[in-house]
Every structure is written in structure tokens, then in C-alpha cells.
Amino acid sequence: STKIAGIHLLCLGDPNPSEKPADVLLGVDEDQGIYKKIVLKNHHITGSLFIADLRGKEKVTQFMERGAPISASERAVIQEIVKVEGGGPALPMTICPICKMELSQSSCPACTQ
């Protein structure tokens, strides 16, 4: 965790998974400069990245330290943490297995895989 140019930044674990399958939840508010990302693999949080808005970091840290699989009700809590006011609901993301780009659709616009 750090603060750069007055902007809070928190990175836990690996927020950029290099292998599939990874389940990525993403919340963004470009107007406020807020970015929240939580990566799950096999029902475990493997990484997270919070920029500008650190609300929910304690809960995410608890889930990661506990090491147990995330239940359906806990996933709902995570989705609320990632949800950015004014930015819409948390977006389910996947990672392209070829170019590692984050995707919100079935095919990758970068490498068309």
C-alpha cells in the first residue's frame, strides 16, 4: 500500500494472472479515477488492486489470509466491494489465454482468440 501524487494504491497478491482460468471482477469510475480489481482462481482470491478508493480492503485481506474457498455469499460481498458508485455494477472479466488482456466478452479484440 502506498500513496503516489496524493492517490492511494493498494496491491495484494497477483492482480494480473498469467494463466487461465481466472475470474476477474472489475469496477471503474474514470471520472473519479477509481479502479478496483479482484482476481479469483478456483474460488480463492489470488490478487487485488485498488486505486484511489481503498474501501473494502480489510475484508479482501481477511479472505486472502484465511485461504479458504469463497462461498456464494462471500462472493456477493466481494462484488459489492468492487462496485464503484457511479461506475455501474462490477464487471465479470476473463483473461485472454494468448495475450493476457482483460476481457468482458467472449473473444479477445486484441488477438481475436
Side-chain angles (χ1 to χ4, degrees):
S1 178
T2 190
K3 191 173 185 179
I4 300 172
I7 300 171
H8 293 281
L9 172 74
L10 173 70
C11 180
L12 300 169
D14 183 5
N16 296 310
S18 59
E19 56 186 63
K20 198 176 177 183
D23 185 10
V24 179
L25 296 174
L26 184 66
V28 178
D29 183 337
E30 291 179 11
D31 293 336
Q32 295 187 40
I34 296 172
Y35 180 91
K36 291 184 173 185
K37 176 180 177 183
I38 297 178
V39 179
L40 295 110
K41 185 168 181 171
N42 299 323
H43 304 285
H44 290 80
I45 297 177
T46 59
S48 64
L49 181 61
F50 291 76
I51 299 174
D53 181 359
L54 303 184
R55 288 178 289 179
K57 70 177 180 169
E58 295 86 4
K59 194 58 138 171
V60 172
T61 301
Q62 272 182 346
F63 288 145
M64 289 180 77
E65 288 176 345
R66 187 184 72 193
I70 301 298
S71 68
S73 62
E74 290 167 335
R75 184 179 172 97
V77 169
I78 293 167
Q79 286 176 311
E80 281 301 309
I81 290 170
V82 173
K83 186 176 166 182
V84 175
E85 193 171 316
L91 303 171
M93 305 289 285
T94 58
I95 305 297
C96 175
I98 306 301
C99 69
K100 309 305 181 211
M101 181 176 176
E102 294 175 354
L103 308 173
S104 61
Q105 53 197 18
S106 60
S107 66
C108 179
C111 70
T112 66
Q113 294 296 316

